[in-house]
Amino acid sequence: MHSLFHLAFHVTDLDAARRFYGSVLGCAEGRSTDTWVDFDFFGHQISLHLGEPFKTTLSGKVGDVTVPMPHFGLVLELPIWQAMAARLKDAGTQFVLEPQQRFAGQPGEQWTMFVCDPFGNPLEIKGFASLSTVYAS
């Protein structure tokens, strides 16, 4: 059974959210009011509500890299990940962690990058040569 994932979180400006999630990431906008907006986040639903964003810290350890916590993100096939990396670079997005490969030659080999939305909410975008290896151990 396949299910949709839903995540609701705070942003401080819906127009800026529309620019980032809609124009930069390419998410289709769904329903909205004057206090929230939904997006199709690559087949899943995110709801952005006006309010104070999550507090985050650079406290997650993955190998020898420290990443922002908490965070959410995407798992993409590698060609789509590469196109997303180019799209983010073209938009002048500042990376928390530049696009890079990790776990080369190991189970779970992947490419990753971290960005923050305009409100400081961190997103990790992962790329896999085959989505069948996402849970490889």
Side-chain angles (χ1 to χ4, degrees), residues 10-116:
H10 285 137
V11 298
T12 58
D13 182 321
L14 295 179
D15 289 331
R18 285 180 168 102
R19 285 190 296 277
F20 181 76
Y21 288 95
S23 298
V24 175
L25 293 184
C27 300
E29 185 173 330
R31 295 173 296 139
S32 66
T33 70
D34 58 347
T35 63
W36 58 266
V37 59
D38 284 345
F39 285 97
D40 177 343
F41 189 70
F42 298 83
H44 301 280
Q45 183 190 49
I46 57 173
S47 297
L48 312 179
H49 292 255
L50 289 175
E52 186 64 33
F54 287 123
K55 179 182 179 195
T56 62
T57 60
L58 284 173
S59 60
K61 291 295 269 181
V62 181
D64 60 351
V65 177
T66 304
V67 299
M69 294 296 294
H71 64 264
F72 73 103
L74 298 169
V75 177
L76 303 171
E77 292 180 328
L78 188 55
I80 299 167
W81 180 90
Q82 291 166 327
M84 179 64 75
R87 184 180 192 140
L88 289 164
K89 286 179 182 178
D90 290 346
T93 305
Q94 185 172 16
F95 290 90
V96 175
L97 183 67
E98 292 284 334
Q100 59 189 265
Q101 184 182 28
R102 67 178 168 196
F103 310 128
Q106 300 176 46
E109 177 180 89
Q110 61 190 259
W111 289 257
T112 187
M113 58 185 143
F114 274 83
V115 299
C116 286

